[in-house]
Amino acid sequence: MNGESGMVLTISKAARDAGGFLTIEGQLKNTGGTPYANTAPWRGNELNASGVSVAGVTLVDKVGKKRYYVLRDTEGRCLCTTGLNIIEASQTMPFFAQFPAPPASTTEVDFSLPTFATATVKLSG
C-alpha cells in the first residue's frame, strides 16, 4: 500500500490463530528521499497509552458489516507496532497489529491505516 511522501506498507501475513486473534504483519519502508515524521495520524484516536503507534489501523468486513479495531492490553496499550516517531529515508520498520478474529467465513477484509490507501487483505488460518 502506498502512503504519503514515499511511505510504503507491505503486508506479508494476515493469519488467524487458535486463540481467536488475527495478526497482520509486514513492514513500513520510507522510499522517499527525506525523513518521514508524519506518524501521529497512524495512532488514530489513541490516548497516548501506546505513544506513537499504528493503533489507528482498522479492518472492515464488508460482508459481515463489521469494523475491527486493534486489541489493547490491560494497561490500554495497543497490541501493535509502537515507537514510530521518525522513519529515515530508506529505513524499513517492522509492522504488526493484532485484532479479534473475524468469523471463519470471512476470507478478506479491507485494511485501512491513516495516510495510506485502503487495501483488501486475504486472510489465512
Side-chain angles (χ1 to χ4, degrees):
M1 299 173 4
N2 293 318
E4 64 184 15
S5 302
M7 287 302 301
V8 175
L9 172 60
T10 303
I11 295 173
S12 57
K13 181 179 175 184
R16 293 179 176 88
D17 68 24
F21 304 110
L22 172 69
T23 302
I24 308 268
E25 297 176 359
Q27 68 178 16
L28 288 158
K29 182 171 185 176
N30 182 353
T31 64
T34 60
Y36 184 81
N38 189 30
T39 59
W42 298 350
R43 67 178 155 208
N45 294 328
E46 183 73 27
L47 297 175
N48 261 349
S50 299
V52 182
S53 67
V54 295
V57 66
T58 60
L59 303 177
V60 173
D61 173 0
K62 289 193 280 189
V63 174
K65 297 183 171 117
K66 189 167 184 179
R67 180 182 306 268
Y68 294 88
Y69 295 92
V70 174
L71 291 169
R72 309 292 177 172
D73 68 13
T74 57
E75 303 289 321
R77 292 181 299 258
C78 72
L79 299 179
C80 67
T81 301
T82 61
L84 298 171
N85 293 314
I86 295 175
I87 301 174
E88 298 294 334
S90 300
Q91 184 178 17
T92 300
M93 304 287 290
F95 173 94
F96 90 96
Q98 195 168 47
F99 302 87
S105 60
T106 299
T107 59
E108 62 184 30
V109 292
D110 282 351
F111 177 98
S112 181
L113 178 64
T115 75
F116 285 85
T118 298
T120 300
V121 174
K122 296 205 180 296
L123 307 180
S124 64

